[in-house]
């Protein structure tokens, strides 16, 4: 959603700040036109005395105070206190703060106010101005009178239309203020020029100032209402500051809504939630912007508007963790209050184009299972319907969950009409068992086929029509006068893809192969972040190499036949990529997939495209499809859906929709009621898509292969009225089935912004109810609801067949196409022995796991480095004292000076100019039996002696007799009289924290014997670490005796030394680089040169 209302306080602050900037930047600079901005915002938690002390003007001026909660006509409602003292304001606020009011159908509490200086002026000094967005630019109104009694400003204000590539001129501004007193014209002209510039630069979509007062050469904005294009925040953050987008009056902003908005902001997907009635019994969790509106419509159509608790949607392939968080938020709200009739949860959606249904359902399943006790407690019934990639696995997960939840759970797939579960959930229709299709083959082919292309697939749950439809046909003479347009897409159309999109490209190639195209529709990809290369994809069973270019110029030069660009660039770069594309005359059509491009930029794209004759589909779309010829990106879904909807060959029905998600549902509805789709386009959910409904409907209508047209419109905008006029005038004479979604908006007590940016009515004319009525009166075939859309399409189609307007055609059998390995594995159709096995970590899910422990819990529980070692080395969580011991071992073994062989090698290699890894490796390679090996050796020798029952004296004597050194005993420098503090630290820690230390005690007894001979034959750091480590793993209770022995034998002790010493080696490397030491050459006088004469002595 893009156009969002802001508070008056924020609107005035933003404009005042920007006006000052514009006045300074004007050449030459001009004096400030507007009065100094002074305003105070008061909320329930505002400390008024403190706030007043920070705004000294408030103590010296008369004041005005009013609610700032998007309430219209506050003056007429008695919600403005004028010409008041500070004491009056405080008293008025104490009365009004928290007061519950009903304004129209909306009931809410007053909680936010604005306090400003009161301006004494005459009625004749008040003016009105407003600016609002249009498809081609903006319209500015000005009226020489203002105030609460201005009346119907649309009919009497002066107005100018300004093209998006232009700006308000001085001549236009002068025209607007023609009826203003002469002494105020000059300042108003200057002000309007700056106001329009600010409006555009700050990405306002609507701005109304009434009244506007000119006093002593300064302009005062007394009342302001405004909307900002929220998608432009990345461009305007500095100028906007911390602007707030409050909910409409009558709907309090909940913490859960804010949480979902935060999830949405951090995600590339779309996550929306609006709470309509927290106590309602009907809750929805719907995938897709268009589908979410339709489900709400259906609930309201069936009499559930007062019980509908929420509106929301998730779309754009959210991850498992995102859907988990989203679902958990809804479930937490739903289970806060009980309802005497129990509650209903509708988990619905259309047939997805690219979202992995199983992945999103895994998150929902996790949330449902977590809330299973509360679901039982609140008597919740759950109804599920979904289709799209991997939907079989997703629905299986839901079916398997049912018995575990203990509540009724009904699961349906695309074989059921999208909204049929709503009637079942509300008790308006008998619950029919769903038929869950499971894939069983790794090659994909049609599930069923009819020899006659005119025969539609019967739909068991299609809602019957209330009355008979009579279709008026057309004559050959009518069709003869229509010139056939050049097709937008053919079976030779080739496209260049902007962005690294191998999955979308593979989907296009699979469609091409099924459609028996001679050449792939993907000519190349453009990816600026890599060098030129080729991407391997598949053409049926064979490999095909698709070139990838770093820039557009090279791609278009090498592929002059490509006339379509599919733009997968992000919302921040999609505009620039599209503008650059239109520099190449070979391009006839551009599809812009990104959602969230600022409206002003989209309007510039539309202007440029019309100038150059380029068709733009989008933004915020999945694209379009011409069965048997060409498909854009992910349109139509995966291969199984292309086959189910028979998109590999053309039918007779063309459709146009705003919603990309609903385009796939239309494919399904049309094939189940007619012979299939001829062409379908989703123009995009933004307020101003690149092409309109009528652009495509006229193109379809004039194509003799199209026999009927389907329009799926939407609340918001007025494009459908162009279609109405064409029907009335006879320009359109082929049957048009039309339905505008969003009829539920009329039933809500407060304004709701639906999932699409353009799905919001700014007037009665823009409501879905008004548009459906107008279409019906103009001659379109309009169903009673979306539930009967399929039946209406089928009725019109069957009459055309009966009147021989659609001749019978033999069905086409498409080729069989192999399933991708990854997808077959996802569907559990294949198995393959793994080349590797691992048990320590797993990065495949939403969160990295260390031995089954989520990385977030690693930090939440603060297990430290020792805890991580326990998970990754031993596959279990060791006690805290054990983890601390591992950390102590790393600390004491981190370094032992530059003279030891490992550090020496590291230093020499670093000074030779080698990199960190090479230098570190050089040092680590010296670790072995002579350097570092004493740890393993000491553990082995002491353990064998202790386990065999040798007393310490016997062990010492045995080693002497075998002429073996006791590993872990002896030190060159340290002795009994000069103890090694590292040994003391480890020994004391083990004695204090370990359950018992039998092997350490044994080693200390050995030390008493060896030091009796020489004081430096002490238990050294290797010995104390080795024996303590053995005591730890044998006695901490986390290992069996066999496991403990195995971990010692496979080198875990040596791992401690390697890891610890790595810290020191890196330190030596960095030290040498920091000291800028040159190449090392060993001094010759430190080398004994054994010449032959010396050796022969």
């Amino acid at each position: 959603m893009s156009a969002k209302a802001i508070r008056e306080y924020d609107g005035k602050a933003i404009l005042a700040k920007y006006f000052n900037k514009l006045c300074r930047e004007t050449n030459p600079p001009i004096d400030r036109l507007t009065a100094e901005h002074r305003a105070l915002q008061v909320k329930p938690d505002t400390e008024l005395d403190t706030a007043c002390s920070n705004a000294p003007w408030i103590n010296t001026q008369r004041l005005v105070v009013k609610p700032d909660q998007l309430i219209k006509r506050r003056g007429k409602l008695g919600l403005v206190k004028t010409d008041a003292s500070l004491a009056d304001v405080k008293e008025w606020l104490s009365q009004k703060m928290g007061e519950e009011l009903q304004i129209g159908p909306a009931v809410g509490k007053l909680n936010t106010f604005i306090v400003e200086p009161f301006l004494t002026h005459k009625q004749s000094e008040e003016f009105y101005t407003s600016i609002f967005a249009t498809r081609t630019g903006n319209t500015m109104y000005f009226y020489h009178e203002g105030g609460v009694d201005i009346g119907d400003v649309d009919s009497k204000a002066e107005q100018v239309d300004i093209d998006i590539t232009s700006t308000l001129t001085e001549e236009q501004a002068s025209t607007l203020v023609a009826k203003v007193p002469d002494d105020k014209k000059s300042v108003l002209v200057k002000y309007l020029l700056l106001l329009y510039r600010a409006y555009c630069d700050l990405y306002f979509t609507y701005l109304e100032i009434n009244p506007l007062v000119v006093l002593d050469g300064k302009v005062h904005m007394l009342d302001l209402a405004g909307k900002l294009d929220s998608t432009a925040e990345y461009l305007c953050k500095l100028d906007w500051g911390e602007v707030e987008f409050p909910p409409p009056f009558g709907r309090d902003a909940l913490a859960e809504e804010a949480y979902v908005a935060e999830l949405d902001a951090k995600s590339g997907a779309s996550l929306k939630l609006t709470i309509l009635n927290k106590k309602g019994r009907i809750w929805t969790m719907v995938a897709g912007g268009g589908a979410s509106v339709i489900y709400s419509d259906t609930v309201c159509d069936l009499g559930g508007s007062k019980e509908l608790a929420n509106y929301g949607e998730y779309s754009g392939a959210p991850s498992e963790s995102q859907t988990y968080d989203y679902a958990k938020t809804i479930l937490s709200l739903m289970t806060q209050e009980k309802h005497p009739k129990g509650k209903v949860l509708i988990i619905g959606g259309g047939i997805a184009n690219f979202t992995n249904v199983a992945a999103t359902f895994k998150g929902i399943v996790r949330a449902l299972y977590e809330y299973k006790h509360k679901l039982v407690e609140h008597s919740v019934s759950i109804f599920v319907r979904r289709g799209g990639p991997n939907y079989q696995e997703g629905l299986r997960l839901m079916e398997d969950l049912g018995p575990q939840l203990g509540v009724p759970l009904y699961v349906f797939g695309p074989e059921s009409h999208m909204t049929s579960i709503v009637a079942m959930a509300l008790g308006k229709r008998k619950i029919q068992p769903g038929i869950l299709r499971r894939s069983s083959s790794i090659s994909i082919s049609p599930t069923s086929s009819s020899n006659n292309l005119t025969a539609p697939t019967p739909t068991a749950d299609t809602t019957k029509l209330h009355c008979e439809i009579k279709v008026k046909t057309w004559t050959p003479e009518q069709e003869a006068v229509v010139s056939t347009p050049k097709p937008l897409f053919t079976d030779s159309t080739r496209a260049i893809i902007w962005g690294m999109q191998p999955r979308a490209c593979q989907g296009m190639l699979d469609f091409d192969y099924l459609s028996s195209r001679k050449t792939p529709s993907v000519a190349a990809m453009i990816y600026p972040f890599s060098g030129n290369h080729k991407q391997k994809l598949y053409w049926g069973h064979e490999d095909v190499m698709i070139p990838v270019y770093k820039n557009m110029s090279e791609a278009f030069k090498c592929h002059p036949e490509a006339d379509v660009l599919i733009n997968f660039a992000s919302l921040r770069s999609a505009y620039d990529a599209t503008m650059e594309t239109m520099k190449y005359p070979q391009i006839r059509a551009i599809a812009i997939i990104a959602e969230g491009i600022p409206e002003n930029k989209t309007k510039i794209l539309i202007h440029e495209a019309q100038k150059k004759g380029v068709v733009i589909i989008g933004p915020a779309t999945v694209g379009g499809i011409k069965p048997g010829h060409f498909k854009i990106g992910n349109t139509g879904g995966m291969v199984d859906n292309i086959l189910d909807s028979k998109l590999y060959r053309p039918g007779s029905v063309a459709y146009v929709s705003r919603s990309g998600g609903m385009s796939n549902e239309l494919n399904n509805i049309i094939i189940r009621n007619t012979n299939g789709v001829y062409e379908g386009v989703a123009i995009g959910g933004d307020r101003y898509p690149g092409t309109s409904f009528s652009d495509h409907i006229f193109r379809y209508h004039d194509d003799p292969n199209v026999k009927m047209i389907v329009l799926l419109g939407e609340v918001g905008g007025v494009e459908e009225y162009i279609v109405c006029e064409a029907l009335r005038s006879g320009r359109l004479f082929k049957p048009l089935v039309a339905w505008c979604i969003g009829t539920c908006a009329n039933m809500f007590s407060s304004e709701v912004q639906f999932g699409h940016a353009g799905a919001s009515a700014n007037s009665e004319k823009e409501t879905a109810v008004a548009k459906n009525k107008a279409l019906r009166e103009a001659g379109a075939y309009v169903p009673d609801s979306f539930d009967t859309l399929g039946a209406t399409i089928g009725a019109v189609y069957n009459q055309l067949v009966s009147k021989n307007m659609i001749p019978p055609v033999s069905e086409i059998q498409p080729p069989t196409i192999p399933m991708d390995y990854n997808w077959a594995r996802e569907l559990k159709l294949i198995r393959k022995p793994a080349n590797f096995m691992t048990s320590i970590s797993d990065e495949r899910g939403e969160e990295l796991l260390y031995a089954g422990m989520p990385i977030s819990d690693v930090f939440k529980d603060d297990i430290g480095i020792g805890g991580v070692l326990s998970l990754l080395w031993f596959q279990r969580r060791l006690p805290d004292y054990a983890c601390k011991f591992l950390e102590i071992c790393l600390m004491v073994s981190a370094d032992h000076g530059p003279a030891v062989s490992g550090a020496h090698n590291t230093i020499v290699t670093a000074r030779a100019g080698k990199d960190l890894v090479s230098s570190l490796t050089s040092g680590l390679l010296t670790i072995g039996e002579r350097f570092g090996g004493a740890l393993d050796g000491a553990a082995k020798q002491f353990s064998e002696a202790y386990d065999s029952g040798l007393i310490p004296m016997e062990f010492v004597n045995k080693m002497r007799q075998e002429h073996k050194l006791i590993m872990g005993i002896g030190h060159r420098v340290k002795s009994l009289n000069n103890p090694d503090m590292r040994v003391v630290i480890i020994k004391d820690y083990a004695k204090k924290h370990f359950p018992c230390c039998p092997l350490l005690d044994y080693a200390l007894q050995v030390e008493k014997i060896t030091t009796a001979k020489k004081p430096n034959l002490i238990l050294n750091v290797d010995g104390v670490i080795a024996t303590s480590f053995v005591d730890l793993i044998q006695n901490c209770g986390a290992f069996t005796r066999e496991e403990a022995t195995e971990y010692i034998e496979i080198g875990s002790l040596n791992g401690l030394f390697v890891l610890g010493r790595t810290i020191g080696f890196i330190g030596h490397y960095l030290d040498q680089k920091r000291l800028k030491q040159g190449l090392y050459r060993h001094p010759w006088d430190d080398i004994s040169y054994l010449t032959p004469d010396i050796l022969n002595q």
Side-chain angles (χ1 to χ4, degrees):
M1 47 187 86
S2 61
K4 290 186 178 181
I6 58 174
R7 298 194 191 276
E8 182 177 2
Y9 176 87
D10 289 327
K12 288 179 175 178
I14 292 170
L15 284 177
K17 177 183 173 183
Y18 203 70
F19 277 150
N20 292 339
K21 177 182 175 182
L22 291 180
C23 290
R24 290 194 306 270
E25 293 176 353
T26 302
N27 190 15
I30 61 176
D31 293 336
R32 196 157 109 186
L33 293 172
T34 56
E36 181 182 355
H37 174 62
R38 290 178 173 177
L40 181 67
Q41 189 177 65
V42 181
K43 294 187 174 184
D45 58 351
T46 301
E47 181 53 56
L48 197 54
D49 290 336
T50 304
C52 291
S53 65
N54 295 326
W57 54 267
I58 207 166
N59 297 297
T60 60
Q61 294 184 254
R62 302 296 288 177
L63 305 169
V64 58
V65 57
K66 52 193 171 182
D68 193 4
Q69 294 176 241
L70 314 184
I71 300 172
K72 298 177 180 178
R73 295 177 289 278
R74 289 170 293 184
K76 289 193 172 184
L77 293 170
L79 294 177
V80 181
K81 177 73 172 177
T82 61
D83 195 14
S85 66
L86 179 57
D88 295 335
V89 167
K90 287 182 177 180
E91 183 182 355
W92 195 81
L93 284 172
S94 68
Q95 296 170 2
K96 295 295 182 182
M97 184 69 75
E99 181 183 348
E100 186 171 280
L101 292 178
Q102 179 166 354
I103 301 174
V107 177
K109 291 183 178 181
L110 300 177
N111 55 32
T112 305
F113 296 82
I114 181 173
V115 181
E116 298 175 292
F118 175 72
L119 183 69
T120 303
H121 64 281
K122 299 174 184 176
Q123 177 69 34
S124 61
E125 293 170 321
E126 292 187 347
F127 307 102
Y128 170 93
T129 189
S130 66
I131 313 172
F132 57 90
T134 63
R135 179 174 175 80
T136 57
N138 299 292
T139 295
M140 190 171 203
Y141 280 179
F142 185 88
Y143 192 56
H144 60 279
E145 296 176 6
V148 294
D149 297 319
I150 188 171
D152 182 12
V153 71
D154 291 349
S155 62
K156 56 187 180 182
E158 301 292 335
Q159 74 172 71
V160 292
D161 297 319
I162 305 122
D163 186 87
I164 189 62
T165 58
S166 307
T167 190
L168 182 70
T169 65
E170 190 170 339
E171 181 181 355
Q172 289 173 316
S174 299
T175 302
L176 289 173
V177 301
K179 296 180 182 179
V180 168
D182 292 341
D183 61 331
K184 297 186 182 346
K185 284 183 178 178
S186 176
V187 67
L188 278 171
V189 166
K190 291 178 183 177
Y191 172 77
L192 293 179
L193 292 172
L194 289 181
L195 181 68
Y196 186 79
R197 185 175 165 189
Y199 174 93
C200 295
D201 291 351
L202 294 169
Y203 284 81
F204 276 90
T205 61
Y206 175 77
L207 183 61
E208 182 183 58
I209 304 170
N210 178 38
L212 184 74
V213 173
V214 179
L215 205 60
D216 300 327
K218 299 290 184 186
V219 178
H220 301 258
M221 299 179 288
L222 298 195
D223 234 17
L224 179 146
K227 291 183 179 182
L228 291 174
D229 183 350
S230 62
T231 62
E233 184 175 13
Y234 74 97
L235 297 169
C236 302
K237 182 67 176 176
L238 187 63
D239 292 318
W240 288 356
E242 295 300 323
V243 67
E244 181 184 1
F245 297 108
F249 181 75
R251 198 174 71 234
D252 293 333
L254 299 179
E256 289 86 355
E257 291 175 314
Y259 176 69
V260 170
E262 185 179 354
L263 288 177
D264 180 63
K266 294 177 180 177
S267 166
S270 176
L271 300 163
K272 305 288 188 294
L273 178 63
T274 299
I275 302 304
L276 304 171
N277 175 12
K278 201 174 176 182
K279 297 181 180 181
R281 66 178 295 262
I282 304 168
W283 291 77
T284 64
M285 197 183 302
V286 180
S292 62
V293 179
I294 292 170
Y295 274 93
S296 296
D297 284 350
T298 308
V299 170
C300 294
D301 288 343
L302 295 174
S305 60
K306 292 183 179 178
E307 290 289 355
L308 182 59
N310 72 305
Y311 167 77
E313 60 106 0
Y314 66 93
S315 58
S319 65
E320 178 184 334
S321 64
Q322 288 164 345
T323 49
Y324 165 73
D325 287 336
Y326 181 76
K328 191 171 66 171
T329 304
I330 291 176
L331 293 175
S332 71
L333 287 163
M334 186 178 71
T335 55
Q336 286 180 8
E337 297 185 42
K338 291 184 179 180
H339 194 284
K341 293 183 179 180
K343 295 191 175 182
V344 168
L345 176 60
I346 297 170
I347 303 174
I351 301 172
N353 289 289
F354 57 89
T355 297
N356 185 332
V357 174
T360 56
F361 270 20
K362 283 177 184 176
I364 297 174
V365 165
R366 278 174 56 198
L368 288 170
Y369 187 78
E370 191 174 305
Y371 275 79
K372 64 178 182 177
H373 298 300
K374 287 194 172 183
L375 294 174
V376 173
E377 182 184 341
H378 288 261
S379 303
V380 176
S381 298
I382 303 172
F383 293 80
V384 181
R385 192 272 186 185
R386 192 74 162 107
N390 208 8
Y391 81 89
Q392 300 96 331
E393 177 65 11
L395 298 185
R396 184 193 65 77
L397 290 171
M398 284 290 183
E399 280 198 331
D400 292 348
L401 176 69
Q404 302 176 53
L405 289 183
V407 299
L409 191 152
Y410 307 96
V411 181
F412 302 87
E415 75 287 343
S416 299
H417 185 69
M418 190 180 86
T419 52
S420 61
I421 61 171
V422 179
M424 296 181 205
L426 272 60
K428 306 289 186 179
R429 176 185 292 183
K430 183 181 178 182
I431 299 174
Q432 302 287 342
I435 304 170
L436 181 56
R437 271 181 44 198
R438 301 180 189 269
S439 296
S440 58
S441 171
I442 58 173
S443 61
I444 310 173
S445 55
T447 54
S448 62
S449 179
S450 167
N451 292 327
N452 186 352
L453 196 147
T454 60
T457 306
T459 306
D461 65 344
T462 299
T463 304
K464 300 297 185 288
L465 296 178
H466 298 301
C467 57
E468 184 183 355
I469 288 178
K470 293 185 178 180
V471 176
K472 181 182 178 183
T473 58
W474 63 98
T475 64
E477 290 75 22
Q478 283 178 290
E479 201 163 20
V481 299
V482 175
S483 58
T484 303
K486 182 179 179 180
L488 187 58
F489 306 121
T490 69
D491 58 6
S492 60
T493 296
R494 303 204 75 201
I496 290 176
I497 315 299
W498 200 104
M500 198 65 188
Q501 294 287 328
R503 179 179 171 185
C505 290
Q506 185 61 64
M508 292 175 67
L509 296 184
D510 288 342
F511 169 85
D512 297 341
Y513 186 79
L514 289 170
S515 300
S516 301
R517 276 184 57 130
K518 303 302 181 186
T519 56
S521 60
V522 179
M525 285 188 273
I526 300 169
Y527 191 61
F529 306 105
S530 69
N532 290 1
H533 63 283
K534 292 195 174 183
Q535 176 76 32
K536 184 173 82 70
L537 297 173
Y538 295 99
W539 178 257
H541 301 259
E542 306 295 329
D543 293 348
V544 61
M545 303 302 288
I546 301 297
V548 181
Y549 299 96
K550 191 176 176 67
N551 57 65
M552 278 191 191
S553 58
E554 193 169 357
F556 288 128
K557 180 180 178 182
C558 294
H559 301 279
E561 79 287 1
D563 59 1
V564 174
L565 182 114
I566 303 174
N567 188 353
F568 278 96
S570 71
L571 63 93
R572 287 174 171 80
S573 53
Y575 169 81
D576 292 329
T578 305
M579 289 296 285
E580 183 182 356
T581 303
M582 285 190 280
K583 295 178 182 177
Y584 299 91
Q586 70 193 70
I587 291 297
R588 296 178 56 243
I590 301 171
I592 307 172
I593 309 302
E595 179 181 0
I597 299 175
E599 287 181 2
N600 284 356
K601 290 189 174 292
T602 300
K603 288 190 275 189
I604 294 172
L605 292 177
I606 294 171
H607 180 274
E608 190 69 14
Q610 290 176 343
K611 189 168 69 173
K612 298 197 172 184
V614 175
V615 174
I616 288 185
I617 298 172
T621 184
V622 72
I625 190 166
K626 188 170 185 181
H629 294 79
F630 181 78
K631 91 174 184 109
I632 296 171
N634 295 305
T635 309
M638 297 187 67
V639 172
D640 55 350
N641 190 70
I642 290 170
L643 292 168
D644 287 348
S645 296
K646 298 188 179 180
L647 300 175
Y648 51 82
R649 52 76 172 161
S652 302
V653 184
Y655 71 81
V656 60
S657 161
R658 268 192 175 274
S659 169
M662 285 307 301
S663 68
N664 222 7
E665 194 64 41
L666 284 174
N667 294 331
N668 182 50
I669 291 172
I670 289 170
I671 195 59
R672 289 176 182 275
N673 293 280
T674 72
N675 66 1
V677 175
Y678 179 79
E679 186 176 342
V681 169
I683 62 174
D686 283 357
R687 276 217 297 176
Y688 305 112
T691 45
S692 65
F693 290 132
S694 56
D695 291 331
H696 296 284
I697 287 174
F698 291 154
R699 183 168 59 82
Y700 296 156
H701 179 273
D702 297 345
D703 188 326
N705 297 303
V706 175
K707 305 304 179 183
M708 62 179 288
I709 301 165
V710 175
L711 163 63
L712 188 65
E714 189 170 272
V715 59
V718 293
E719 291 294 332
E720 291 86 350
Y721 290 100
I722 299 174
V723 178
C724 292
E725 181 55 38
L727 285 167
R728 281 193 293 267
S729 69
R731 170 65 180 87
L732 297 180
F733 50 78
K734 291 182 181 179
L736 173 73
V737 177
W739 178 251
C740 295
I741 66 175
T743 53
C744 62
N746 292 33
M747 303 182 192
F748 296 152
S749 61
S750 60
E751 180 186 348
V752 174
Q753 170 66 63
F754 295 112
H756 294 154
S760 180
N762 294 315
S763 66
E764 177 64 26
K765 189 177 181 181
E766 293 188 19
T767 64
V769 172
K771 290 196 278 190
N772 284 329
K773 182 174 183 289
L775 284 162
R776 185 180 289 112
E777 290 173 350
Y781 301 95
V782 179
D784 298 324
S785 69
F786 183 81
D787 256 2
T788 57
L789 177 63
T792 304
I793 292 171
V796 172
Y797 173 82
N798 289 331
Q799 289 197 39
L800 291 176
V801 171
S802 67
K803 296 179 180 181
N804 298 318
M805 302 301 290
I806 301 177
V809 180
S810 298
E811 184 60 86
I812 297 171
Q813 186 68 22
T816 299
I817 192 166
M819 186 180 291
D820 285 346
Y821 170 80
N822 288 335
W823 203 248
R825 185 180 61 183
E826 182 106 25
L827 294 173
K828 297 180 173 57
L829 297 178
I830 57 173
R831 61 186 181 190
K832 171 183 173 292
N835 293 317
F836 290 94
M837 289 192 296
T838 182
S839 62
I840 67 169
S841 63
D842 189 347
E843 83 290 359
R844 295 171 301 170
E846 294 302 318
E847 190 172 355
L848 175 65
L849 303 177
Y850 286 169
M853 186 176 190
I855 190 67
S856 58
D857 288 347
V858 168
F859 288 92
K860 180 181 175 183
D861 295 352
D862 195 21
I863 67 174
I865 293 295
V868 172
L869 285 181
S870 76
L871 294 173
L872 295 181
W873 287 17
F874 308 114
Q875 294 81 52
R876 68 207 72 193
R877 178 89 176 267
L878 296 182
D880 290 344
Y881 72 84
C883 296
K884 180 64 176 177
F885 172 76
L886 296 177
E887 293 177 0
I888 291 172
C889 291
L890 295 180
M891 289 188 280
V892 301
S893 61
D895 194 50
H896 201 213
V900 297
S901 58
H904 180 81
N905 271 22
T906 300
I907 291 169
V908 171
T909 309
R911 291 180 61 171
K914 300 294 285 185
D915 60 277
L916 171 63
V917 175
S918 301
S919 303
L920 175 60
T921 304
S922 173
L924 290 175
L925 288 174
T926 65
I927 297 175
E929 289 187 3
R930 296 187 178 184
F931 174 56
L935 283 166
D936 283 337
K940 184 177 181 182
Q941 287 180 354
F942 281 110
S943 294
E944 287 178 350
Y946 180 79
D947 292 342
S948 63
L950 292 176
I951 64 173
M953 182 61 76
E954 288 177 316
F955 170 57
V956 174
N957 291 337
K958 179 177 180 293
M959 297 301 289
R960 183 185 298 122
Q961 290 168 4
E962 293 176 359
H963 305 291
K964 292 181 179 179
L965 296 173
I966 301 176
M967 308 298 287
I969 293 290
H971 201 286
R972 289 191 177 190
V973 178
K974 300 299 180 179
S975 64
L976 280 175
N977 300 319
N978 179 24
D980 187 341
M981 289 310 299
R982 299 177 297 170
V983 175
V984 175
I985 291 168
I986 293 174
K987 179 181 66 176
D988 290 348
Y989 184 85
K991 288 283 191 179
K992 182 178 179 180
H993 295 94
F994 289 10
C996 58
C997 305
L999 194 61
L1000 175 59
D1001 290 340
Y1002 185 84
L1004 290 173
Q1005 293 177 41
V1006 170
E1007 181 189 47
K1008 289 180 180 179
I1009 298 169
T1010 56
T1011 53
K1013 179 180 179 181
K1014 280 187 179 181
N1016 68 327
L1017 292 179
I1018 59 172
L1019 184 66
N1020 60 31
V1021 70
D1022 293 340
V1024 75
I1025 290 177
T1027 53
S1028 300
F1029 182 82
V1030 173
D1031 282 337
L1032 175 69
I1033 64 172
Q1034 287 186 348
N1035 299 293
C1036 70
F1039 304 90
T1040 64
R1041 187 76 177 192
E1042 291 75 17
E1043 287 176 330
T1045 301
E1046 182 182 27
Y1047 274 114
I1048 294 170
E1049 290 177 348
I1050 63 178
S1052 54
L1053 260 171
N1054 198 36
L1056 274 178
F1057 181 80
V1058 170
L1059 181 57
R1061 199 49 63 94
T1062 295
I1063 299 170
F1065 290 171
I1066 292 173
H1068 284 296
Y1069 169 84
L1070 297 174
D1071 186 51
Q1072 295 301 306
K1073 294 295 185 182
R1074 186 173 57 251
L1075 296 173
K1076 297 179 173 55
Q1077 294 295 287
L1079 179 66
Y1080 175 80
R1081 180 181 175 85
H1082 199 72
W1084 63 267
D1085 58 359
D1086 190 36
I1087 301 172
S1088 292
Y1089 291 90
L1090 301 178
T1091 58
D1093 56 323
I1094 296 174
L1095 289 173
N1096 292 330
Q1097 289 180 359

